[in-house]
Amino acid sequence: ALPGRGTLDIRLDDSLAPPLQGVRAYMAAYPYQCFEQRLSRIVVLGDGAGWSQLAGELPTYQAPDGLLRYFPGDQLNGSEVLTAYVLSMAGEAGLALPETVEARMIEALKAVLDGRLRRDDFGDVRLQRVAALAALARAGAATPAMLGQIGMPMGDMPTGTLADYLAAIERIPGL
């Protein structure tokens, strides 16, 4: 800092992770209610009771194809992006999904990965396939053969997608 032109503050902490009180306060007051937003709030707040309620409602969010919808109801199509997010997030947070719902989600994401199912018609399908592979790997349902279904070289992957890809590789038995 130049003399008379600003300051330099130094603080030592016992952790590299910053305190998350602000994030928790923000999420506690978060007003939106789609499935993804409810799950995100539950994970941030460590809300076991909220998860029990949401997990009980899961069948109303599942479309006939096994993918999850953002809102329950008569909408026909689920979202592969949401389904991959929920399977990954629940697994990482240690939240148990109802077995029948999880099994249908896994089968739907396998269909996304091999190209039999596509509902989200935005963005690069290869990015959605990597997210599906990562979710399947986190759920213990991925195989080495699934890597060939991505169709995207690692050098073309955005950072977040590459992180998902590496997380998948770490969890697929036999690699």
Side-chain angles (χ1 to χ4, degrees):
L2 298 174
R5 296 187 46 105
T7 63
L8 178 63
D9 294 326
I10 299 173
R11 184 180 85 199
L12 301 176
D13 285 318
D14 61 354
S15 171
L16 292 176
L20 298 175
Q21 294 92 343
V23 172
R24 287 186 188 96
Y26 175 81
M27 289 305 285
Y30 198 65
Y32 304 106
Q33 294 295 319
C34 82
F35 191 93
E36 179 274 327
Q37 293 158 332
R38 290 176 66 192
L39 175 61
S40 296
R41 184 173 36 254
I42 286 165
V43 170
V44 168
L45 299 177
D47 182 3
W51 174 246
S52 293
Q53 179 182 350
L54 188 58
E57 296 172 17
L58 254 168
T60 67
Y61 285 88
Q62 197 162 41
D65 58 17
L67 296 174
L68 296 180
R69 300 178 287 222
Y70 287 92
F71 296 96
D74 295 330
Q75 307 168 36
L76 294 177
N77 293 332
S79 164
E80 56 258 41
V81 171
L82 175 64
T83 306
Y85 175 78
V86 170
L87 193 58
S88 292
M89 182 67 86
E92 290 294 328
L95 303 173
L97 293 162
E99 287 182 30
T100 55
V101 172
E102 182 180 31
R104 291 185 63 220
M105 290 168 63
I106 287 171
E107 289 308 310
L109 289 178
K110 287 179 181 178
V112 167
L113 190 57
D114 68 21
R116 291 180 287 126
L117 180 60
R118 178 148 165 84
R119 296 289 186 245
D120 292 329
D121 60 357
F122 57 86
D124 189 334
V125 67
R126 299 173 305 170
L127 301 179
Q128 294 167 357
R129 286 182 178 162
V130 173
L133 175 68
L136 290 168
R138 285 180 172 102
T143 66
M146 291 177 175
L147 289 175
Q149 296 171 310
I150 301 292
M152 180 178 229
M154 289 191 321
D156 291 349
M157 293 180 187
T159 303
T161 302
L162 182 59
D164 268 349
Y165 184 78
L166 294 174
I169 287 174
E170 289 177 356
R171 290 175 169 90
I172 296 175
L175 290 181

